[in-house]
């Protein structure tokens, strides 16, 4: 690990001011992903800004009947919150499907959204990776690609986003609330928050340098059956090959977002019109632009079968 400086801040204004003073600085809270990347020298920030003292660890009702989840709310506390379990069951189920209990006790809401890909070529500094070193190439293309993206990828990157929570947030139409170094605030729709790789896979989110996530806002609850199914190589401690987050109504209509198939949580609202026709029609619309490799083409079928299981579960 390379040497770095460290400071604690006690207000959002101090946090963004510190980031403005030290270009390339990183905010740190739970550190469940960032510290691993620093140990491998994949990320080498010269300065860390500890934001644990900002008080963003509360879950509060909003005037429109939704929830505002502080950026520092731990995954365990979010999954266990009675309001989340009652009104946003999809989110609770997705959180409990992720990582281990120990990691959920440390991991934060903002950190979960910002976690980086688990592509083995990204983690191996001896391999070419445009996400780690722009312009170096993508060793996953033509390499071992079983875990990789089947849709939304590019000639520069075929990595997938690892978060379970983010897939549920996408189905729930969350908004990511932030503060920028100039003190201005904005809300980024979750649909726009994560970026597809294109020619710049190293640019993973819409955040600008030094921009701080303060909270995530959920709109008022959506009725229907909330279901999260995750298919993985092991029953625990494994990232999704395919995951399906769905909210299904009695008439078969609803929302669906996919994990494990793209560089970001994958949702195609137009495809949701096909849900009443069944999993096959909905999958064809969701993955209409799929470009799987020979090794991960099975994911297309796996999405259909997992979505079919979700729809069957929702009808039971």
């Amino acid at each position: 690990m390379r040497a770095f400086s460290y400071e604690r801040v006690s207000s959002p204004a101090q946090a963004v001011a510190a980031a403005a003073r030290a270009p390339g600085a990183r905010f740190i809270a739970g550190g469940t992903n960032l510290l691993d990347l620093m140990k491998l020298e994949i990320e080498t920030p010269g300065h860390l800004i500890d934001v644990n003292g900002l008080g963003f660890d509360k879950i509060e009702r909003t005037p429109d009947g939704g929830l505002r989840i502080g950026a520092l709310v731990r995954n365990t506390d979010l999954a266990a919150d009675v309001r989340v379990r009652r009104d946003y069951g999809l989110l609770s189920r997705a959180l409990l499907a992720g990582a281990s209990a120990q990691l959920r006790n440390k991991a934060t809401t903002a950190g979960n959204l910002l976690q980086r890909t688990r592509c083995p070529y990204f983690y191996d500094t001896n391999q070419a990776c445009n996400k780690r070193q722009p312009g170096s190439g993508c060793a996953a293309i033509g390499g071992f690609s079983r875990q990789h993206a089947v849709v939304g990828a590019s000639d520069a990157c075929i990595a997938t986003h690892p978060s379970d929570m983010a897939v549920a947030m996408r189905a729930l139409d969350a908004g990511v609330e932030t503060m920028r170094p100039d003190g201005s605030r904005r809300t980024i729709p979750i649909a726009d928050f994560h970026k597809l790789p294109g020619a710049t896979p190293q640019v993973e989110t819409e955040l600008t340098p030094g921009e701080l996530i303060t909270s995530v806002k959920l709109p008022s609850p959506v009725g229907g059956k909330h279901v999260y199914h995750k298919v993985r190589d092991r029953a625990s401690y494994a990232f999704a090959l395919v995951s399906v987050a769905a909210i299904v109504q009695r008439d078969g209509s609803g929302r669906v977002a996919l994990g494990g198939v793209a560089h970001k949580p994958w949702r195609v609202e137009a495809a949701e019109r096909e849900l009443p026709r069944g999993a096959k029609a909905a999958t064809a619309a969701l993955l209409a632009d799929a470009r799987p490799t020979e090794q991960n083409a099975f994911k297309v079928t796996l999405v259909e079968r997992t979505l079919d299981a979700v729809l069957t579960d929702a009808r039971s």
Side-chain angles (χ1 to χ4, degrees), residues 151 256 258 266-275 277-290 300 303-304 307:
V151 68
V256 61
L258 305 177
W266 191 255
R267 183 178 173 197
V268 181
E269 282 88 339
E272 293 168 355
R273 292 194 293 267
E274 301 297 326
L275 279 175
R277 296 180 55 201
K280 184 173 183 178
T283 300
L286 279 165
L287 302 181
D289 298 322
V300 175
V303 167
E304 181 182 333
L307 180 55

Side-chain angles (χ1 to χ4, degrees), residues 4 25 30 45 50 64 79 107 133 202 207 313:
F4 59 90
D50 188 331
D64 62 0
Q133 186 177 354
Q202 75 278 9
L207 294 176
D313 187 1

Side-chain angles (χ1 to χ4, degrees), residues 38-122:
M38 290 174 65
K39 291 173 185 177
L40 295 170
E41 296 191 5
I42 294 169
E43 294 216 21
T44 56
H47 188 60
L48 292 184
I49 304 165
D50 188 331
V51 295
N52 281 296
L54 300 189
F56 295 150
D57 57 353
K58 298 176 179 61
I59 304 172
E60 302 170 317
R61 280 289 181 195
T62 59
D64 62 0
L67 283 183
R68 176 167 285 108
I69 303 162
L72 297 173
V73 173
R74 307 294 163 168
N75 287 177
T76 295
D77 296 331
L78 182 56
D81 186 89
V82 65
R83 295 160 294 184
V84 174
R85 293 173 62 192
R86 182 186 63 230
D87 298 330
Y88 304 93
L90 179 60
L91 178 57
S92 183
R93 292 181 177 92
L95 285 162
L96 292 173
S100 65
Q102 293 93 332
L103 285 171
R104 292 195 297 270
N105 287 342
K106 290 293 292 181
T108 63
T109 300
N112 197 309
L113 289 175
L114 293 173
Q115 62 181 302
R116 305 196 70 186
T117 184
R118 263 55 179 192
C119 172
Y121 298 100
F122 172 72

Side-chain angles (χ1 to χ4, degrees), residues 131 152 161 190-198 200-207 262-265:
K131 184 180 288 294
H161 192 271
I190 192 70
D192 302 328
F193 183 77
H194 296 102
K195 299 175 71 70
L196 292 178
T200 56
Q202 75 278 9
V203 181
E204 299 175 349
T205 72
E206 286 292 329
L207 294 176
H263 201 256
K264 61 186 290 185

Side-chain angles (χ1 to χ4, degrees), residues 66-248:
L67 283 183
R68 176 167 285 108
I69 303 162
L72 297 173
V73 173
R74 307 294 163 168
N75 287 177
T76 295
D77 296 331
L78 182 56
D81 186 89
V82 65
R83 295 160 294 184
V84 174
R85 293 173 62 192
R86 182 186 63 230
D87 298 330
Y88 304 93
L90 179 60
L91 178 57
S92 183
R93 292 181 177 92
L95 285 162
L96 292 173
S100 65
Q102 293 93 332
L103 285 171
R104 292 195 297 270
N105 287 342
K106 290 293 292 181
T108 63
T109 300
N112 197 309
L113 289 175
L114 293 173
Q115 62 181 302
R116 305 196 70 186
T117 184
R118 263 55 179 192
C119 172
Y121 298 100
F122 172 72
Y123 271 81
D124 185 347
T125 56
N126 292 312
Q127 300 290 334
C129 175
N130 289 316
K131 184 180 288 294
R132 178 171 23 83
Q133 186 177 354
S136 64
C138 176
I141 297 175
F144 183 70
S145 57
R146 182 173 182 272
Q147 295 276 355
H148 289 78
V150 298
V151 68
S154 73
D155 292 337
C157 181
I158 60 172
T160 57
H161 192 271
S163 172
D164 292 288
M165 186 196 78
V167 180
M169 292 287 196
R170 180 67 181 91
L172 292 167
D173 283 331
V176 182
E177 299 180 323
T178 72
M179 183 176 184
R180 289 184 277 197
D182 63 2
S184 62
R185 296 176 181 268
R186 64 170 174 159
T187 299
I188 307 170
I190 192 70
D192 302 328
F193 183 77
H194 296 102
K195 299 175 71 70
L196 292 178
T200 56
Q202 75 278 9
V203 181
E204 299 175 349
T205 72
E206 286 292 329
L207 294 176
T208 57
E211 189 169 7
L212 174 69
I213 296 176
T214 59
S215 58
V216 175
K217 183 181 177 182
L218 297 179
S220 56
V222 177
K225 185 72 174 285
H226 288 222
V227 185
Y228 188 78
H229 278 206
K230 179 178 181 178
V231 181
R232 46 191 163 179
D233 285 327
R234 302 188 307 274
S236 63
Y237 308 107
F239 296 97
L241 286 171
V242 162
S243 63
V244 175
I247 304 172
V248 185

